[in-house]
Amino acid sequence: MNVVKTTDLKQREDAYSVRTTVFVGEQNVPPALEIDELEEEAVHFVLYDEQHEPCGAGRFRTVGEFGKVERICVLKEARGHGAGNLIMDMIEEYAKTVDGLTTLKLDAQLQAIPFYEKRGYEIVSGEFLDAGILHKTMTKPL
């Protein structure tokens, strides 16, 4: 598997396709909330499998001194093989190249919290709803 920072429209559409399958198809997030007005300011990442098919995605935005990690997802058939860690590794490495960032921040779905805790993220908020799904905000120093 290979993660790339998107450089063209085809790669970005691959990321959108994975996100739509996972968030809209599996989790019933409204399409208008999934692909949003922040896409143009975000840096997108897509994970490709051995057949060069997209199977994971994520995006990153700079918000003040925070690097905001968003939309991390992996297709059902690619889960359990380290795909999420590959995406996060690439995003975290990219974040280190952005001047002025001190902290990574993300809003984790409750079932994903153990995954992020293993990566060094700590919970900094109570539960809240985002797109009808319970989340907690987590941070990690860069």
Side-chain angles (χ1 to χ4, degrees), residues 16-69:
Y16 293 163
S17 172
V18 173
R19 288 171 42 192
T20 299
T21 298
V22 173
F23 295 121
V24 177
E26 290 181 28
Q27 299 182 355
N28 299 313
V29 172
L33 293 180
E34 178 48 38
I35 308 299
D36 64 16
E37 70 281 355
L38 302 173
E39 303 299 347
E40 290 304 315
E41 72 182 62
V43 178
H44 298 269
F45 297 83
V46 62
L47 174 68
Y48 292 96
D49 65 17
E50 293 78 15
Q51 290 75 44
H52 307 288
E53 293 295 321
C55 62
R59 78 178 187 188
F60 178 87
R61 294 184 306 117
T62 301
V63 182
E65 77 260 9
F66 290 103
K68 190 83 176 6
V69 180

Side-chain angles (χ1 to χ4, degrees), residues 39-129:
E39 303 299 347
E40 290 304 315
E41 72 182 62
V43 178
H44 298 269
F45 297 83
V46 62
L47 174 68
Y48 292 96
D49 65 17
E50 293 78 15
Q51 290 75 44
H52 307 288
E53 293 295 321
C55 62
R59 78 178 187 188
F60 178 87
R61 294 184 306 117
T62 301
V63 182
E65 77 260 9
F66 290 103
K68 190 83 176 6
V69 180
E70 301 173 317
R71 307 299 203 272
I72 305 301
C73 60
V74 176
L75 294 181
K76 209 178 283 187
E77 56 271 15
R79 293 176 194 155
H81 304 287
N85 279 311
L86 290 173
I87 296 166
M88 289 298 296
D89 288 347
M90 183 74 153
I91 290 174
E92 289 177 4
E93 284 304 311
Y94 173 79
K96 291 175 185 174
T97 70
V98 179
D99 285 339
L101 294 185
T102 60
T103 307
L104 294 175
K105 184 177 186 177
L106 57 82
D107 296 331
Q109 293 182 10
L110 296 190
Q111 82 274 1
I113 287 173
F115 168 78
Y116 293 115
E117 286 177 328
K118 287 178 188 166
R119 295 192 60 85
Y121 289 81
E122 295 182 354
I123 296 169
V124 296
S125 80
E127 292 180 6
F128 61 93
L129 281 175

